[in-house]
Amino acid sequence: MFDKVIETVAFKLIKLAVTELPRDVERALQQAYKEEESETGRTQLKAILENVELAKKYKIPMCQDTGIIIFYIKAGSKFKDLHKIEEALRDATIKATKEIPLRPNAVNPFTRKNTGNNTGRYIPFLNWEIVQGNGLELTVMPKGGGSENVSVLGMINPSQGIEGLKKFVIDSVIAAGAKPCPPIILGVAVGGGADIAIKLAKAALLKPLDQLNTDPKLAKLEKEIFNLVNSTGIGPMGLGGKTTALAVKLEFAHRHPASYPVAVVFQCWAARRASAHISANGEVEYLSHRVI
Amino acid sequence: MAVYRLKTPISEEEIRKLTVNDIIYINGALVTARDAAHKRALEFHRKGKKLPLNLEGLAIFHCGPIVKKIRDEWILVAAGPTTSARMDLYEADFIKNFKARVIVGKGGMGGKTTEGMKKTGAVYGAFTGGAAVLAARAVKKVKKVYWLDLGMPEALWILEVENFGPVIVAIDSYGKNLFEDNQKKVMKNLKTL
Ligand code: SF4
């Protein structure tokens, strides 16, 4: 009985995500517009804000690249229809592709064939977490290609430590330049292993921009990297200015003594995400967006 | 940082007035063209074949639009700029042969295109990456489409636009390249970080 609710909520989340920025991201863009000193940079931030406004008003995707659909699922261990979630999310993706519409972005890497409906092998991708309780929290992140293409993993020398980490992030940002449509949000993760670091860095992009890291040391390092990135002068769309990043989000896992994996996942200004919580009684609460 | 409203066909004289950081708004005909269309157009030229339309003085948009056919009419759904660097291979010859005067895209173009623009009298303009709704709102009508056999994103879509912009002049006809200059500044800043 829950599969219909899940499908309906997931469809709505995809639609919310692609047409309306989360409030924290919009606020960060407005703040950047206020503070940007480069005239050319300001024109870009203004165009983005206008574009965001229009997308919200007319309920159409804010960017033509509606991305690859990724879900993050926090399922209560006592949630009833666990085995039905995957199918419901695929169905929601197919429906969203047709009705919103989304750009069909799921292509077979070998045959180049586009499935036409944004589903395919492992796509939409599902990240699972089992938590206590009987509810379900769903988050969707439609991830665009331009920013994904410059995301990188580095295995730096552990003896370089935090200095090496900072250098790696800045070098990646400079190499990316205008490509990820700055202003960007950076998800940075250290430790674990190659796959773990990349996964954590991407999940770090889900954190609200205005929320400080709970670890004061990490909050300080985030701020430091943020300032470094914004002193590069890349600016909005690479045209110059002090707004290169809207935020830097750090995450970590413990590491092997011999490895120091650093992952940098880029998110463009079109930072699309939306979350909702479904209670055991079928009640739905939208978490990232105000839904009337 | 002056603001210009240009109407196609745009003359070389109008182009020579523009310098980097100027803002332009385009009125008239904007033609989408990506890699495949650039390549085919140059092949046509080599073989002495005529293009399906005269591009002189028009604006070219690096864009693979989403277009829907409703009854007999094409409706533009989304039209954000695509990465221009991919067209670097063709652009200098393209503007030399067809005299398109404004090239719009995102992310900037390289030295060969900059040199070509200086010689022929053309500019490259940056349209805000991802701002597909803003772009689509300026399109009043899809006038025609050619080369649809290349696929929807690669075809030549002739769009009638009104105040299409803001487009930032990022390469002018005097060899100034805003993206490259900024990149140099960034490298300089890097040393002090
Ligand atoms: S990088 Fe982001 S804003 Fe730019 S085109 Fe891709 S999805 Fe759109």
Coordinates of all heavy atoms in Angstrom, one line a residue, chain A residues 39-40 43-44 47-48 50-51 54-55 58 60-64 101-103 146 170-171 174 177-179 181 227-228 231-235 237-241 269, chain B residues 1 21 23 64 66 68 77-83 106-108 126-135 137 166 168 170 178-179 182-183 185-187 189-190 193:
Chain A
E39 N 31.7 43.7 -11.5 CA 30.4 44.1 -12.2 C 30.0 42.9 -13.1 O 28.8 42.6 -13.1 CB 30.7 45.3 -13.1 CG 30.8 46.6 -12.4 CD 29.5 47.2 -12.1 OE1 28.5 46.8 -12.7 OE2 29.4 48.0 -11.2
T40 N 30.9 42.3 -13.8 CA 30.6 41.2 -14.7 C 30.1 40.0 -13.8 O 29.1 39.4 -14.2 CB 31.8 40.8 -15.5 OG1 32.2 42.0 -16.2 CG2 31.5 39.7 -16.5
T43 N 26.5 40.5 -12.9 CA 25.5 40.2 -14.0 C 25.2 38.7 -14.0 O 24.0 38.4 -14.3 CB 26.0 40.6 -15.4 OG1 27.2 39.8 -15.7 CG2 26.4 42.1 -15.5
Q44 N 26.2 37.9 -13.8 CA 25.9 36.4 -13.8 C 25.0 36.0 -12.7 O 24.1 35.2 -12.8 CB 27.3 35.7 -13.8 CG 28.1 36.0 -15.0 CD 27.4 35.8 -16.3 OE1 27.1 34.7 -16.7 NE2 27.2 36.9 -17.0
A47 N 21.6 37.1 -13.3 CA 20.9 36.2 -14.3 C 20.5 34.9 -13.7 O 19.4 34.4 -14.0 CB 21.8 36.0 -15.5
I48 N 21.3 34.4 -12.8 CA 21.0 33.1 -12.2 C 19.8 33.3 -11.3 O 18.8 32.5 -11.4 CB 22.2 32.6 -11.3 CG1 23.3 32.1 -12.2 CG2 21.8 31.5 -10.4 CD1 24.6 31.8 -11.5
E50 N 17.4 35.5 -11.5 CA 16.2 35.7 -12.3 C 15.8 34.4 -12.9 O 14.6 34.1 -12.9 CB 16.6 36.6 -13.5 CG 16.2 38.1 -13.2 CD 16.6 39.0 -14.4 OE1 16.4 38.6 -15.5 OE2 17.2 40.0 -14.0
N51 N 16.7 33.6 -13.4 CA 16.4 32.3 -13.9 C 15.7 31.4 -12.9 O 14.7 30.7 -13.2 CB 17.7 31.7 -14.4 CG 17.5 30.4 -15.2 OD1 17.0 30.3 -16.3 ND2 17.7 29.3 -14.5
L54 N 12.1 32.6 -12.4 CA 11.3 32.2 -13.5 C 10.9 30.7 -13.5 O 9.8 30.3 -13.7 CB 11.9 32.5 -14.8 CG 12.0 34.0 -15.2 CD1 13.0 34.2 -16.4 CD2 10.6 34.5 -15.5
A55 N 11.9 29.9 -13.1 CA 11.7 28.4 -13.1 C 10.7 28.1 -12.0 O 9.8 27.2 -12.2 CB 13.1 27.7 -12.8
Y58 N 7.1 29.4 -13.2 CA 6.5 28.6 -14.3 C 6.6 27.1 -14.1 O 6.2 26.3 -15.0 CB 7.0 29.0 -15.7 CG 6.7 30.5 -16.0 CD1 7.7 31.5 -15.8 CD2 5.4 30.9 -16.3 CE1 7.4 32.8 -16.1 CE2 5.1 32.2 -16.6 CZ 6.1 33.2 -16.5 OH 5.8 34.5 -16.7
I60 N 9.1 25.0 -14.3 CA 9.9 24.3 -15.3 C 11.3 24.2 -14.9 O 11.8 25.0 -14.0 CB 9.8 25.0 -16.7 CG1 10.0 26.6 -16.6 CG2 8.6 24.7 -17.5 CD1 9.9 27.3 -17.9
P61 N 12.0 23.2 -15.4 CA 13.4 22.9 -14.9 C 14.3 24.2 -15.0 O 14.3 24.8 -16.0 CB 13.9 21.8 -15.8 CG 12.7 21.1 -16.2 CD 11.6 22.1 -16.3
M62 N 15.1 24.5 -14.0 CA 15.9 25.7 -13.9 C 17.1 25.5 -14.8 O 17.7 26.5 -15.3 CB 16.4 25.9 -12.5 CG 17.3 24.8 -11.9 SD 17.6 25.1 -10.2 CE 16.2 24.5 -9.4
C63 N 17.5 24.3 -15.2 CA 18.6 24.1 -16.2 C 18.2 23.0 -17.1 O 17.5 22.0 -16.7 CB 19.9 23.8 -15.4 SG 21.2 23.4 -16.6
Q64 N 18.6 23.1 -18.3 CA 18.2 22.1 -19.3 C 18.8 20.7 -19.0 O 18.3 19.7 -19.3 CB 18.6 22.5 -20.7 CG 20.0 22.4 -21.1 CD 20.8 23.6 -20.6 OE1 20.3 24.5 -19.9 NE2 22.1 23.6 -20.9
P101 N 8.9 17.9 -18.4 CA 9.7 16.7 -18.6 C 11.2 17.0 -18.2 O 11.7 18.1 -18.1 CB 9.7 16.6 -20.1 CG 9.6 18.0 -20.7 CD 8.9 18.8 -19.6
L102 N 11.9 15.8 -18.0 CA 13.3 15.9 -17.7 C 14.0 15.5 -19.0 O 13.5 14.9 -19.9 CB 13.7 14.8 -16.6 CG 13.0 14.9 -15.3 CD1 13.5 13.7 -14.4 CD2 13.2 16.2 -14.6
R103 N 15.3 15.9 -19.1 CA 16.0 15.5 -20.3 C 16.4 14.0 -20.1 O 17.0 13.7 -19.0 CB 17.3 16.4 -20.4 CG 18.0 16.1 -21.8 CD 19.0 17.2 -22.0 NE 20.3 16.9 -21.4 CZ 21.3 17.7 -21.4 NH1 21.3 18.8 -22.0 NH2 22.4 17.3 -20.8
G146 N 27.9 18.8 -16.1 CA 29.0 19.8 -16.1 C 29.8 19.8 -14.8 O 31.1 19.9 -14.9
I170 N 42.3 23.2 -4.0 CA 42.5 24.4 -4.8 C 42.9 24.1 -6.2 O 42.4 24.7 -7.2 CB 43.6 25.3 -4.1 CG1 43.1 25.8 -2.8 CG2 43.8 26.6 -5.0 CD1 41.7 26.5 -2.7
D171 N 43.8 23.1 -6.4 CA 44.2 22.8 -7.7 C 43.0 22.2 -8.6 O 42.9 22.5 -9.7 CB 45.3 21.7 -7.7 CG 46.7 22.3 -7.2 OD1 46.8 23.5 -7.2 OD2 47.6 21.5 -6.9
I174 N 40.9 25.2 -9.6 CA 41.5 25.9 -10.7 C 41.4 25.2 -12.0 O 41.1 25.7 -13.1 CB 42.9 26.4 -10.3 CG1 42.8 27.4 -9.2 CG2 43.7 26.9 -11.5 CD1 44.1 27.9 -8.7
G177 N 37.9 25.5 -13.4 CA 37.6 26.8 -13.9 C 36.1 27.1 -14.1 O 35.3 27.0 -13.2
A178 N 35.8 27.5 -15.3 CA 34.4 27.9 -15.6 C 33.5 26.7 -15.9 O 32.2 26.8 -15.9 CB 34.3 28.8 -16.8
K179 N 34.1 25.5 -16.0 CA 33.3 24.3 -16.5 C 32.1 23.9 -15.6 O 31.0 23.6 -16.1 CB 34.2 23.1 -16.7 CG 35.1 23.2 -17.9 CD 35.8 21.9 -18.2 CE 37.2 22.2 -18.8 NZ 38.3 21.8 -17.9
C181 N 30.1 25.6 -14.0 CA 29.1 26.8 -13.8 C 29.2 27.4 -12.4 O 28.2 27.3 -11.7 CB 27.7 26.3 -14.1 SG 27.4 26.0 -15.9
N227 N 37.5 30.3 2.0 CA 38.2 31.6 1.7 C 39.3 31.4 0.6 O 39.4 32.3 -0.2 CB 38.8 32.1 3.0 CG 37.7 32.6 3.9 OD1 36.6 32.9 3.5 ND2 38.0 32.7 5.2
L228 N 40.0 30.3 0.7 CA 41.0 30.1 -0.4 C 40.4 30.0 -1.7 O 40.8 30.6 -2.7 CB 41.8 28.8 -0.1 CG 42.8 28.8 1.0 CD1 43.3 27.4 1.3 CD2 44.0 29.7 0.6
S231 N 39.4 33.3 -3.0 CA 40.5 34.2 -3.4 C 41.1 33.9 -4.7 O 42.0 34.6 -5.2 CB 41.6 34.2 -2.3 OG 41.1 33.8 -1.1
T232 N 40.7 32.8 -5.4 CA 41.3 32.5 -6.7 C 40.9 33.5 -7.7 O 41.6 33.7 -8.7 CB 40.8 31.1 -7.2 OG1 39.4 31.1 -7.3 CG2 41.2 29.9 -6.3
G233 N 39.7 34.1 -7.5 CA 39.2 35.1 -8.5 C 38.6 34.5 -9.7 O 38.3 35.2 -10.7
I234 N 38.3 33.2 -9.7 CA 37.6 32.6 -10.9 C 36.2 33.3 -11.1 O 35.9 33.7 -12.2 CB 37.4 31.1 -10.6 CG1 38.7 30.4 -10.6 CG2 36.5 30.4 -11.7 CD1 38.7 28.9 -10.2
G235 N 35.5 33.4 -10.0 CA 34.2 34.1 -10.0 C 33.1 33.5 -10.8 O 33.2 32.4 -11.3
M237 N 30.8 32.0 -13.2 CA 30.9 31.6 -14.6 C 32.3 31.7 -15.1 O 32.6 31.7 -16.3 CB 30.0 32.3 -15.6 CG 28.5 32.0 -15.3 SD 28.1 30.2 -15.5 CE 26.8 30.1 -14.3
G238 N 33.3 31.9 -14.2 CA 34.7 32.0 -14.6 C 35.0 33.3 -15.2 O 36.1 33.5 -15.8
L239 N 34.1 34.3 -15.0 CA 34.3 35.6 -15.6 C 35.0 36.6 -14.7 O 35.2 37.8 -15.0 CB 33.0 36.2 -16.1 CG 32.4 35.5 -17.3 CD1 30.9 35.9 -17.5 CD2 33.2 35.9 -18.6
G240 N 35.4 36.1 -13.5 CA 36.1 37.0 -12.6 C 35.2 37.4 -11.4 O 34.0 37.7 -11.7
G241 N 35.7 37.5 -10.2 CA 35.0 38.0 -9.1 C 35.3 37.1 -7.9 O 36.1 36.2 -7.9
W269 N 25.8 25.9 -9.4 CA 24.8 26.7 -8.7 C 23.4 26.1 -8.7 O 22.6 26.3 -7.8 CB 24.7 28.1 -9.3 CG 24.2 28.1 -10.7 CD1 24.9 28.1 -11.9 CD2 22.8 28.0 -11.2 NE1 24.1 28.1 -13.0 CE2 22.8 28.1 -12.6 CE3 21.6 28.0 -10.5 CZ2 21.7 28.0 -13.3 CZ3 20.4 27.9 -11.2 CH2 20.5 27.9 -12.6
Chain B
M1 N 32.0 49.1 -19.4 CA 30.9 48.1 -19.4 C 29.6 48.7 -20.0 O 28.7 48.9 -19.2 CB 30.7 47.6 -18.0 CG 30.5 46.1 -17.8 SD 30.3 45.7 -16.1 CE 28.8 44.8 -16.3
N21 N 33.7 42.7 -21.6 CA 32.9 43.1 -20.4 C 31.7 43.9 -20.8 O 30.8 44.2 -20.0 CB 33.7 44.0 -19.4 CG 34.5 43.1 -18.5 OD1 34.0 42.1 -18.0 ND2 35.8 43.4 -18.3
I23 N 27.9 44.4 -22.3 CA 26.8 43.5 -22.2 C 26.0 43.7 -23.5 O 25.7 44.9 -23.8 CB 25.9 43.9 -21.0 CG1 26.8 43.7 -19.7 CG2 24.7 43.0 -20.9 CD1 26.1 44.2 -18.4
G64 N 22.2 23.0 -27.4 CA 21.4 21.8 -27.9 C 20.0 21.9 -27.2 O 19.9 21.5 -26.1
I66 N 16.0 21.7 -26.2 CA 14.9 20.8 -26.1 C 13.7 21.4 -26.8 O 13.2 22.5 -26.3 CB 14.5 20.4 -24.6 CG1 15.8 20.0 -23.8 CG2 13.5 19.3 -24.6 CD1 15.5 19.7 -22.4
K68 N 9.8 20.8 -28.6 CA 8.6 19.9 -28.7 C 7.8 20.3 -29.9 O 7.6 21.5 -30.2 CB 7.8 20.2 -27.4 CG 7.8 19.0 -26.5 CD 6.7 19.0 -25.5 CE 6.2 20.2 -24.8 NZ 5.7 20.1 -23.5
V77 N 11.5 24.3 -25.3 CA 11.2 24.0 -23.9 C 12.4 24.6 -23.1 O 12.2 25.3 -22.1 CB 11.1 22.5 -23.7 CG1 10.9 22.2 -22.2 CG2 10.0 21.9 -24.5
A78 N 13.6 24.3 -23.5 CA 14.8 24.7 -22.7 C 15.9 25.0 -23.7 O 16.0 24.3 -24.7 CB 15.2 23.7 -21.7
A79 N 16.8 26.0 -23.4 CA 17.8 26.4 -24.4 C 19.0 27.0 -23.7 O 19.3 28.2 -23.8 CB 17.2 27.3 -25.4
G80 N 19.7 26.3 -22.8 CA 20.9 26.8 -22.2 C 22.1 26.6 -23.0 O 22.1 25.8 -24.0
P81 N 23.1 27.4 -22.8 CA 24.3 27.3 -23.6 C 25.1 26.0 -23.3 O 25.1 25.5 -22.1 CB 25.2 28.5 -23.2 CG 24.8 28.7 -21.8 CD 23.3 28.4 -21.7
T82 N 25.8 25.5 -24.3 CA 26.7 24.3 -24.0 C 28.1 24.8 -24.0 O 28.4 26.0 -24.4 CB 26.4 23.2 -25.1 OG1 27.1 22.0 -24.7 CG2 26.9 23.7 -26.4
T83 N 29.1 23.9 -23.6 CA 30.5 24.3 -23.6 C 31.1 24.7 -24.9 O 31.1 23.8 -25.8 CB 31.3 23.2 -22.9 OG1 30.7 22.9 -21.6 CG2 32.7 23.5 -22.7
K106 N 29.1 29.1 -23.6 CA 29.6 29.2 -22.2 C 31.0 28.7 -22.1 O 31.4 27.8 -22.8 CB 28.6 28.5 -21.2 CG 28.7 27.0 -21.1 CD 28.2 26.5 -19.8 CE 28.3 24.9 -19.8 NZ 28.0 24.3 -18.6
G107 N 31.7 29.2 -21.1 CA 33.0 28.7 -20.8 C 34.2 29.3 -21.5 O 35.4 29.0 -21.2
G108 N 33.9 30.0 -22.6 CA 35.0 30.7 -23.4 C 35.6 29.9 -24.5 O 35.3 28.7 -24.6
A126 N 29.4 35.4 -23.6 CA 29.1 34.3 -22.6 C 27.7 34.5 -22.1 O 27.3 35.6 -21.7 CB 30.1 34.4 -21.5
F127 N 26.9 33.4 -22.2 CA 25.6 33.5 -21.6 C 25.6 32.6 -20.4 O 26.2 31.5 -20.4 CB 24.5 32.9 -22.6 CG 23.1 33.0 -22.1 CD1 22.4 34.2 -22.3 CD2 22.5 32.0 -21.4 CE1 21.1 34.4 -21.8 CE2 21.2 32.2 -20.9 CZ 20.5 33.3 -21.1
T128 N 25.0 33.0 -19.3 CA 25.1 32.4 -18.0 C 24.8 30.9 -18.1 O 23.7 30.5 -18.6 CB 24.1 33.0 -17.0 OG1 24.3 34.4 -17.1 CG2 24.3 32.5 -15.6
G129 N 25.7 30.0 -17.7 CA 25.6 28.6 -17.8 C 24.4 28.1 -17.0 O 24.2 28.5 -15.9
G130 N 23.6 27.3 -17.6 CA 22.5 26.7 -17.0 C 21.2 27.5 -16.9 O 20.2 27.0 -16.6
A131 N 21.3 28.8 -17.3 CA 20.1 29.7 -17.2 C 19.2 29.4 -18.4 O 18.9 30.3 -19.2 CB 20.6 31.1 -17.1
A132 N 18.7 28.2 -18.5 CA 17.9 27.8 -19.6 C 16.5 28.5 -19.7 O 16.0 28.7 -20.8 CB 17.7 26.3 -19.6
V133 N 16.0 28.8 -18.6 CA 14.6 29.4 -18.6 C 14.7 30.8 -19.1 O 13.9 31.3 -19.9 CB 14.0 29.4 -17.2 CG1 12.5 29.7 -17.2 CG2 14.2 28.0 -16.5
L134 N 15.8 31.5 -18.6 CA 16.0 32.9 -19.0 C 16.2 32.9 -20.5 O 15.7 33.8 -21.2 CB 17.3 33.4 -18.3 CG 17.5 34.9 -18.2 CD1 16.3 35.5 -17.4 CD2 18.8 35.2 -17.5
A135 N 17.0 32.0 -21.0 CA 17.2 31.9 -22.5 C 15.9 31.7 -23.2 O 15.6 32.4 -24.2 CB 18.3 30.9 -22.8
R137 N 12.9 32.2 -22.4 CA 11.9 33.3 -22.3 C 12.1 34.3 -23.4 O 11.2 35.1 -23.8 CB 11.9 33.9 -20.9 CG 11.6 33.0 -19.8 CD 10.1 32.8 -19.6 NE 9.4 34.1 -19.4 CZ 8.1 34.2 -19.5 NH1 7.4 33.1 -19.7 NH2 7.5 35.3 -19.3
P166 N 21.4 38.7 -20.5 CA 22.6 39.4 -20.8 C 23.7 38.4 -21.4 O 23.9 37.4 -20.9 CB 23.1 39.9 -19.5 CG 22.5 39.0 -18.5 CD 21.2 38.5 -19.0
I168 N 27.6 38.5 -22.1 CA 28.8 39.3 -21.8 C 29.9 39.1 -22.9 O 30.2 38.0 -23.2 CB 29.5 38.8 -20.5 CG1 28.5 38.8 -19.3 CG2 30.7 39.6 -20.1 CD1 28.0 40.1 -18.9
A170 N 33.0 38.4 -24.2 CA 34.2 37.7 -23.5 C 35.4 37.6 -24.5 O 36.5 37.4 -24.0 CB 33.8 36.4 -23.0
L178 N 38.5 37.6 -22.3 CA 38.2 37.7 -20.9 C 38.5 36.5 -20.1 O 39.1 36.5 -19.0 CB 36.7 38.1 -20.7 CG 36.3 38.6 -19.4 CD1 37.1 39.8 -18.9 CD2 34.8 39.0 -19.4
F179 N 38.1 35.3 -20.6 CA 38.4 34.1 -19.9 C 39.9 33.8 -19.7 O 40.3 33.4 -18.6 CB 37.7 32.9 -20.6 CG 36.2 32.8 -20.4 CD1 35.4 33.3 -21.3 CD2 35.7 32.2 -19.2 CE1 34.0 33.2 -21.1 CE2 34.4 32.1 -19.0 CZ 33.5 32.6 -19.9
N182 N 41.3 36.3 -17.2 CA 41.0 35.9 -15.9 C 41.8 34.7 -15.4 O 42.2 34.7 -14.2 CB 39.4 35.7 -15.7 CG 39.0 35.8 -14.3 OD1 39.3 36.7 -13.6 ND2 38.2 34.8 -13.8
Q183 N 41.9 33.8 -16.3 CA 42.7 32.6 -16.0 C 44.1 33.0 -15.5 O 44.7 32.5 -14.6 CB 42.8 31.6 -17.2 CG 43.3 30.2 -16.9 CD 42.5 29.4 -15.9 OE1 41.3 29.8 -15.6 NE2 43.1 28.4 -15.3
K185 N 45.0 35.9 -14.3 CA 44.9 36.5 -12.9 C 44.8 35.4 -11.9 O 45.4 35.5 -10.8 CB 43.6 37.3 -12.9 CG 43.9 38.8 -13.0 CD 42.6 39.6 -12.8 CE 42.2 40.4 -14.0 NZ 40.8 40.8 -14.1
V186 N 44.0 34.4 -12.1 CA 43.8 33.3 -11.2 C 45.2 32.6 -10.9 O 45.5 32.4 -9.7 CB 42.8 32.2 -11.7 CG1 42.9 31.0 -10.9 CG2 41.4 32.8 -11.7
M187 N 46.0 32.4 -11.9 CA 47.3 31.8 -11.7 C 48.2 32.7 -10.9 O 49.0 32.2 -10.1 CB 48.0 31.4 -13.0 CG 47.3 30.4 -13.9 SD 46.5 29.0 -13.0 CE 47.9 28.0 -12.7
N189 N 47.1 34.9 -8.7 CA 46.5 34.9 -7.3 C 47.0 33.6 -6.6 O 47.2 33.6 -5.4 CB 45.0 34.9 -7.3 CG 44.4 36.2 -7.8 OD1 45.1 37.2 -7.7 ND2 43.2 36.2 -8.2
L190 N 47.0 32.5 -7.3 CA 47.4 31.2 -6.7 C 48.8 31.3 -6.0 O 48.9 30.7 -5.0 CB 47.5 30.2 -7.9 CG 47.8 28.8 -7.4 CD1 46.8 28.2 -6.5 CD2 47.9 27.8 -8.7
L193 N 48.4 32.6 -2.5 CA 47.5 31.9 -1.6 C 48.3 31.1 -0.5 O 49.3 30.5 -0.8 CB 46.6 30.9 -2.3 CG 45.5 31.5 -3.2 CD1 44.6 30.4 -3.8 CD2 44.6 32.4 -2.4

